[in-house]
């Protein structure tokens, strides 16, 4: 279930004005759901994602060998005999997108999925806490890259505008695209191609025949005639891109417990090969700890081996911390040492990480009167758990002026906001 597809206004939150949105588009999501970014960047000899025996996505090495979208498997094997083939797995893509959204909750409580390969974040209340938009963009990029994702990033005053700019940047193989000024937004949006609008996909031939190539051309067409031919949804998306109509979002909310599983790209036989995957899981765990204002006392890492007739029982690492902690560097060092000491009983095909015991973190209040300005966390908001399952509908409460629980900046090591 995708938040962007739920039409129920009662479960949606309208974007506020003035606002600043960061949008992320993951151009290689289909590929990286099967083989992480660090794998195809370092060791790949050509990886191909197939859907109905035709190429849907490919790694840069495969593209360099002449592989193109839509080719059949046989044609790929002729050009690249050593190519690795993976079936398209939409469930893995959705799980990875949800994992990225969970990790990004450490920067703002206002995170929503956008389309099949995008995320939008409203960050206007987080800029001071993280030292401005430039530093915040750098942190966001580093977080999603640690999960094994390639990303194109955009900033704009409206969520739909930011999402379209991120998609445009990905199509041009650019890392980012920004428009921070509302006054300049219309000029920037005018230059975007019509096909960036999702609602225009079914009418591209019609619009091409009308010499409508960019959004500025679409703006010049009579609205009544355009609505009759293409429907009201296209006009609505166009208005949202220019900020003439507000967009609705379902915010992603972390679950009350942390238990996440990730399948590996292949059968890994050495513990050092597991470290990037463990780091990706820890990135999500530490984001969850900071958001929930918790410290970790005990965690469990489960290494899954072969299944079926030659099944091997999973290997487990139960780690108890001498003192509750939440710093990613410390936990990473601890798990690295334990993995180096572990003798694998067989190839590992999946990792599972669970926070088995946590404790409330004691944070120092910056208020003159300790109870001032604090709110209790309620149980409202459209919740989506770490595993990507839809939760109960509730509202968002218990946030400070910056949108975070009291003491959050201290937990991030950023000082008082």
């Amino acid at each position: 279930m995708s938040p962007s597809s739920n039409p129920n206004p009662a479960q949606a939150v309208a974007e506020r004005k003035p606002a600043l949105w960061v949008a992320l588009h993951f151009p290689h999501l289909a590929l990286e759901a099967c083989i992480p970014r660090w794998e195809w960047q370092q060791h790949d000899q050509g990886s191909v994602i197939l859907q109905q025996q035709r190429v849907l996505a490919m790694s840069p090495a495969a593209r360099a060998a002449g592989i193109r979208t839509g080719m059949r498997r046989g044609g790929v094997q002729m050009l690249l005999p050593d190519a690795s083939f993976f079936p398209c797995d939409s469930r893995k893509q959705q799980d990875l997108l949800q994992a990225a959204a969970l990790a990004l909750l450490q920067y703002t409580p206002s995170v929503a999925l956008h389309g099949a390969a995008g995320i939008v974040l409203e960050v206007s209340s987080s800029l001071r806490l993280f030292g401005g938009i430039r530093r915040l963009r750098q942190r966001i990029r580093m977080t999603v890259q640690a999960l094994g994702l390639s990303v194109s990033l955009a900033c704009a005053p409206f969520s739909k505008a930011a999402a379209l700019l991120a998609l445009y940047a990905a199509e041009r193989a650019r890392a980012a695209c920004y428009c921070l000024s509302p006054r300049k937004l219309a000029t920037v949006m005018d230059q975007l191609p019509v096909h960036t609008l999702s609602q225009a996909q079914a009418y591209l031939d019609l619009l091409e025949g009308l010499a409508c190539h960019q959004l500025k051309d679409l703006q010049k067409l009579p609205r009544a005639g355009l609505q009759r031919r293409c429907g009201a949804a296209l006009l609505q998306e166009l208005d949202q891109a220019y900020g003439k109509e507000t967009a609705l979002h379902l915010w992603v909310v972390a679950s009350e417990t942390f238990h996440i599983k990730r399948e590996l790209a292949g059968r890994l036989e050495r513990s050092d090969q597991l470290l990037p995957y463990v780091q990706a899981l820890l990135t999500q765990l530490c984001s969850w700890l900071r958001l929930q204002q918790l410290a970790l006392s005990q965690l469990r890492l489960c290494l899954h081996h072969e299944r079926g007739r030659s099944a091997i029982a999973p290997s487990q690492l139960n780690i108890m911390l001498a003192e509750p902690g939440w710093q990613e560097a410390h936990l990473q060092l601890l798990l690295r040492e334990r993995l180096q000491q572990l003798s694998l009983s067989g190839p590992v095909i999946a990792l599972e990480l669970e926070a088995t015991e946590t404790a409330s973190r004691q944070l120092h209040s910056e208020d003159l009167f300790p109870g001032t300005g604090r709110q209790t966390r309620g149980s409202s908001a459209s919740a989506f758990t770490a595993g990507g399952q839809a939760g109960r509908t509730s509202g968002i409460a218990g946030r400070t002026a910056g949108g975070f629980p009291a003491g959050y900046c201290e937990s991030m090591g950023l000082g008082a906001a």
Side-chain angles (χ1 to χ4, degrees):
M1 179 177 181
S2 171
S4 58
S5 63
N6 195 321
N8 188 354
Q11 296 182 1
V13 180
E15 59 187 44
R16 304 180 301 277
K17 298 180 182 179
L20 179 61
W21 291 81
V22 175
L24 296 87
H25 182 78
F26 305 102
H28 303 301
L29 181 63
L31 173 68
E32 289 163 344
C34 300
I35 174 170
R37 180 174 180 266
W38 61 74
E39 288 283 347
W40 63 256
Q41 279 190 331
Q42 298 178 7
H43 312 295
D44 181 56
Q45 295 182 350
S47 298
V48 178
I49 306 300
L50 295 178
Q51 186 175 44
Q52 297 180 351
Q53 297 302 308
R54 289 185 178 273
V55 176
L56 176 68
M58 72 220 76
S59 66
R63 177 172 289 277
I67 309 304
R68 295 294 181 267
T69 302
M71 292 180 63
R72 293 186 178 274
R73 183 184 184 117
V76 174
Q77 291 175 324
M78 290 180 61
L79 293 174
L80 193 61
D82 297 330
S84 300
F85 294 96
F86 300 90
C88 178
D89 193 327
S90 57
R91 181 189 61 81
K92 284 185 179 181
Q93 295 177 43
Q94 188 69 13
D95 289 348
L96 188 54
L97 201 61
Q98 288 281 358
L102 174 66
L104 293 172
L105 283 172
Q106 63 184 298
Y107 303 118
T108 171
S110 304
V111 178
L113 303 187
H114 186 276
I119 296 175
V120 293
L121 307 83
E122 203 287 300
V123 299
S124 58
S125 60
S126 305
L127 296 180
R128 184 182 175 192
L129 178 63
F130 292 99
I133 185 60
R134 180 172 297 181
R135 291 185 180 181
L136 181 57
R137 290 197 310 253
Q138 292 172 349
R139 281 176 171 261
I140 289 173
R141 186 179 299 278
M142 291 174 61
T143 297
V144 296
Q145 287 179 349
L147 300 181
L149 286 166
S150 304
V151 63
S152 290
L153 188 145
C155 299
F158 304 102
S159 61
K160 177 60 71 172
L164 295 181
L165 289 174
L167 175 60
Y168 180 73
E171 291 178 349
R172 298 299 184 273
R174 293 165 56 183
C177 185
Y178 312 126
C179 180
L180 304 182
S181 172
R183 290 178 295 180
K184 298 180 180 179
L185 180 65
T187 303
V188 174
M189 300 305 295
D190 282 346
Q191 309 306 314
L192 295 187
V194 170
H195 70 258
T196 55
L197 296 175
S198 60
Q199 296 297 330
Q201 298 302 310
Y203 308 102
L204 291 180
D205 291 340
L206 171 64
L207 296 174
E208 181 75 19
L210 296 174
C212 188
H213 308 293
Q214 297 176 313
L215 296 193
K216 64 180 179 181
D217 302 324
L218 199 59
Q219 289 274 64
K220 296 176 183 178
L221 296 178
R223 291 179 64 88
L226 187 61
Q227 180 171 343
R228 283 197 304 271
R229 292 193 175 193
C230 303
L234 177 58
L235 286 176
Q236 183 182 44
E237 186 177 15
L238 185 64
D239 289 342
Q240 290 175 357
Y242 284 84
K244 298 176 182 178
E245 184 173 335
T246 56
L248 300 178
H249 302 284
L250 284 171
W251 304 131
V252 173
V253 178
S255 63
E256 295 299 322
T257 59
F258 185 90
H259 187 183
I260 197 164
K261 182 178 180 180
R262 180 162 183 174
E263 297 182 7
L264 308 186
R267 290 169 167 76
L268 304 186
E269 300 179 352
R270 303 196 317 270
S271 59
D272 62 295
Q273 295 175 315
L274 302 175
L275 292 177
Y277 293 93
V278 172
Q279 181 180 348
L281 295 179
L282 284 178
T283 296
Q284 299 172 62
L285 171 61
C286 292
S287 172
W288 178 82
L289 289 171
R290 285 190 288 264
L291 189 69
Q292 302 287 0
Q293 295 295 287
L294 295 175
L296 184 67
S297 301
Q298 184 175 348
L299 68 103
R300 179 178 66 91
L301 178 65
C302 184
L303 285 65
H304 292 270
H305 304 292
E306 296 290 344
R307 304 187 183 99
R309 294 183 179 179
S310 57
I312 302 175
S315 304
Q316 293 195 21
L317 287 177
N318 292 297
I319 300 177
M320 298 186 63
L321 282 70
E323 294 182 359
W326 61 90
Q327 298 297 335
E328 184 175 347
H330 172 64
L331 295 176
Q332 184 178 346
L333 180 61
L334 188 61
L335 276 173
R336 181 191 295 269
E337 293 176 352
R338 291 295 300 271
L339 282 174
Q340 289 175 346
Q341 300 170 3
L342 180 66
S343 178
L344 299 179
S345 57
V348 180
I349 61 174
L351 293 176
E352 187 176 358
L353 185 66
E354 180 181 8
T356 53
E357 187 175 337
T358 58
S360 298
R361 204 182 312 170
Q362 299 298 322
L363 298 173
H364 300 289
S365 173
E366 298 294 334
D367 297 328
L368 177 61
F369 302 100
T372 303
R374 290 180 180 266
Q375 299 176 353
T376 58
R377 178 166 46 196
S379 60
S380 59
S382 296
F384 286 83
T385 66
Q389 299 296 323
R392 295 185 303 171
T393 302
S394 47
I396 298 177
R399 296 176 181 170
T400 64
F404 295 98
Y408 184 84
C409 55
E410 180 180 340
S411 71
M412 292 292 291
L414 299 168

